[in-house]
Amino acid sequence: MTVSASSAMDTGSRLQAPTNRLLLGAGFMLLSALLFGIGNSAVRWASTVMDPLEVVFFRNLFSLLWMLPWALTAGAPACRAVLTERRLGPYLTRALTTLCAMTAWFYSIAHIPLPTATAVSFAIPLFVAAGAALILGEKVRPRRWAAVCAGFAGVMIVLRPGAAPLDLAFLALFAHCIAAAGTILQMRLLSRKDGTAVIVTFLGLLVTPMALVPALFVWTWPSWSVLGGLALLGGLLTLGQLAMTKALSLAESSAMMPYDYARLPFTAFVAWIAFGQTMDLWGWVGALVIAGSALYTMHRDVADGRKAQAQRA
């Protein structure tokens, strides 16, 4: 009887472990969505007082400054290991795609209303899901494809193609989607070996000098008040990056990305408070479709995780 009880407890623990990772990952992803919603509003404000290329530089500079105390103390051994084991190559390629994605995003949200730009950016999970299957070898279940497609349908409801002309800002937005998908896939690969803080620290170390070069061509010195706002911006987006990286280390990227759809209602609310920007009825219908697809995915992933563990037990 004692052995049976012990076996039952072990089985229960095995059942809970993957489910807890999915739930924890979803929580970190939702936190990331909230922080990016607030941070992107700060980016839009900053882009009204200086060139977006400068905003990209200062965002990365302050992100690096936020992470340096950790990198020079508790995180020093882990950061040193990346250099001594000659694993800097993947970080360099990720820094390049991140710089491209960030520059395109900052430019686009300086010219496109935040809720609209956020809705278009939800094409990213389509590229992530395809890349996860083709590059990372992850198994993307039909339900996840369906959830991603449903979310994209919600994006189309928000946008209603043909309602606005396709200009340079929208082209930059689509370029952002492609580069951001590449960044997320690389983040998933890096998280298999390195911790969240290491990944974010090296991002700041590499992207900051890269971003300085184009910023020098449009350079103007910001005021102290603007610098304070940029420091806060860097902190918010760094926390968002940490939360997203942690989520992608807990579960497959194809499972986590649908939760990123929560950025739309978060961003729409912040944009309404900060700038008076609103979405019409169709925009909110699309947002409900997007949020519904993410919630359905979370429910099915938890149920599937419990079922698979029960079969193995």
Side-chain angles (χ1 to χ4, degrees), residues 156-171:
M156 292 298 100
I157 294 173
V158 174
L159 283 181
R160 296 183 300 285
L166 187 66
D167 57 13
L168 182 60
F170 276 100
L171 292 176

Side-chain angles (χ1 to χ4, degrees), residues 14 20 28 109 111 115 127 135 163 230 247 262 271:
R14 289 196 300 271
N20 288 343
F28 275 111
I109 64 174
H111 299 85
F127 296 103
I135 300 173
L230 291 168

Side-chain angles (χ1 to χ4, degrees), residues 53-240:
L53 291 175
E54 271 194 275
V55 181
V56 171
F57 166 71
F58 280 109
R59 177 260 187 268
N60 285 286
L61 175 63
F62 283 112
S63 176
L64 177 59
L65 293 177
W66 280 104
M67 294 303 300
L68 271 182
W70 173 87
L72 295 174
T73 54
C79 292
R80 195 180 303 115
V82 174
L83 299 174
T84 57
E85 296 174 16
R86 298 182 180 180
R87 291 188 282 114
L88 196 59
Y91 282 96
L92 283 169
T93 58
R94 190 215 169 191
L96 285 171
T97 57
T98 298
L99 180 61
C100 292
M102 197 178 295
T103 302
W105 175 247
F106 283 21
Y107 175 81
S108 62
I109 64 174
H111 299 85
I112 300 173
L114 269 173
T116 302
T118 302
V120 175
S121 74
F122 289 146
I124 294 172
L126 291 174
F127 296 103
V128 171
L134 298 174
I135 300 173
L136 302 185
E138 295 182 1
K139 183 179 180 181
V140 183
R141 297 180 179 87
R143 285 196 187 96
R144 289 183 189 168
W145 282 115
V148 169
C149 291
F152 189 69
V155 171
M156 292 298 100
I157 294 173
V158 174
L159 283 181
R160 296 183 300 285
L166 187 66
D167 57 13
L168 182 60
F170 276 100
L171 292 176
L173 193 50
F174 289 125
H176 158 75
C177 294
I178 296 171
T183 296
I184 289 167
L185 290 170
Q186 292 175 86
M187 191 188 306
R188 177 67 177 159
L189 283 172
L190 291 170
S191 66
R192 292 176 177 177
K193 193 156 190 177
D194 294 320
T196 300
V198 174
I199 295 171
V200 175
T201 299
F202 270 95
L203 179 65
L205 282 169
L206 295 171
V207 177
T208 301
M210 291 180 183
L212 177 60
V213 176
L216 290 175
F217 290 94
V218 294
W219 189 267
T220 57
W221 286 102
S223 65
W224 287 110
S225 60
V226 171
L227 274 177
L230 291 168
L232 179 60
L233 182 159
L236 286 170
L237 294 180
T238 299
L239 289 174

